[in-house]
Amino acid sequence: MIGRNSPCWCHSGLKYKNCHEVFDQRIEEFRRRGYKVPGHELIKTPEQIKGCKEAAEINMACLDYVGEHIGAGISTQDIDDWVSRITKEMGGIPATLGYEGFPKSVCTSINSQVCHGIPSEEDILEDGDIINVDCTTIFNGYYADSSRMFMIGDVSPEARKLVEDVHEAVNVGLRAIKPWKTLGDMGAAVNEFCMSKGYSVVREIGGHGVGIDFHEEPWVSYVTKPDTEMVMAPGLMFTVEPMVNMGKADIFIDAENDWTVYTDDDSLSAQWEVQIVVTEDGYEPISW
Ligand code: MF3
Ligand code: CO
Ligand code: CO
């Protein structure tokens, strides 16, 4: 038990009674009613949020550069080289390099690849391809994680629509982020939108808490029911990153590299990833 006149656990320097006491009471009330609630270690301080935003500047600079230079004839290794160079020039560290054995500085997932594509000199982008570039940056110990889709040359109307619809699906999810609502509300909004467009959302892989580690609690699903999963308390930081397939939701993992995820039915898949922190009146974007 913290004394009401003791310094708050969030290191604001304020007395507990003037800082997070009401917050903790609210958390306890949700816990009592059976909800999953975040521990204090998941609630980001202003200093941590500032650190993540600094990491995000590098993260977004990498993705901006990719957007300006990607095109037919570029290899996914070229993208890896760009991300590696820019990240280091700006004082950061590519988080994926060596992460659980992942061999490259960025994930590049083309067409029916759902996620965790490994950059290679052999994979040359062609006219009509769609590709997700997922970049994660460490700066000063803080993490930024976001990804974007890119369309190479003349893509089919269906592929373009998928890419645009999944971007909108993320916006639908973002609009459902409200303090003291649940992650299940957000995931349900994403899933409902994607289903209404005739797509399916990947079930096995989702988003995650992030900030002082690459993958923190909670795990974030986008096929949830409303009023389930963790309560979105102010200060909770996580990603909205649904993977959406044009065909069925089923996926498999490349047996040779044990990383790259594909759609089972070879249909196209798209994903955008945005990192946010929950605020008192909604959310604040950190990296996108
Ligand atoms: N950036 C991915 C995410 O959004 C994780 C990639 S892990 C890796 O969570 F090992 F494949 F790089
Ligand atoms: Co990512
Ligand atoms: Co992520």
Side-chain angles (χ1 to χ4, degrees), residues 145 183 186 202-210 214-223 237-243 271-274:
D145 182 13
L183 282 171
M186 184 278 298
V202 171
R203 298 171 297 239
E204 296 89 336
I205 321 168
H208 50 94
V210 61
F214 195 158
H215 293 121
E216 303 173 2
E217 290 289 308
W219 185 69
V220 181
S221 167
Y222 309 97
V223 289
M237 188 181 281
F238 62 90
T239 64
V240 179
E241 52 170 317
M243 294 156 213
Q271 175 187 32
W272 297 78
E273 176 174 24
V274 175

Side-chain angles (χ1 to χ4, degrees), residues 231-250:
V231 172
M232 296 188 283
L236 187 68
M237 188 181 281
F238 62 90
T239 64
V240 179
E241 52 170 317
M243 294 156 213
V244 182
N245 301 345
M246 202 179 250
K248 295 211 168 75
D250 307 73

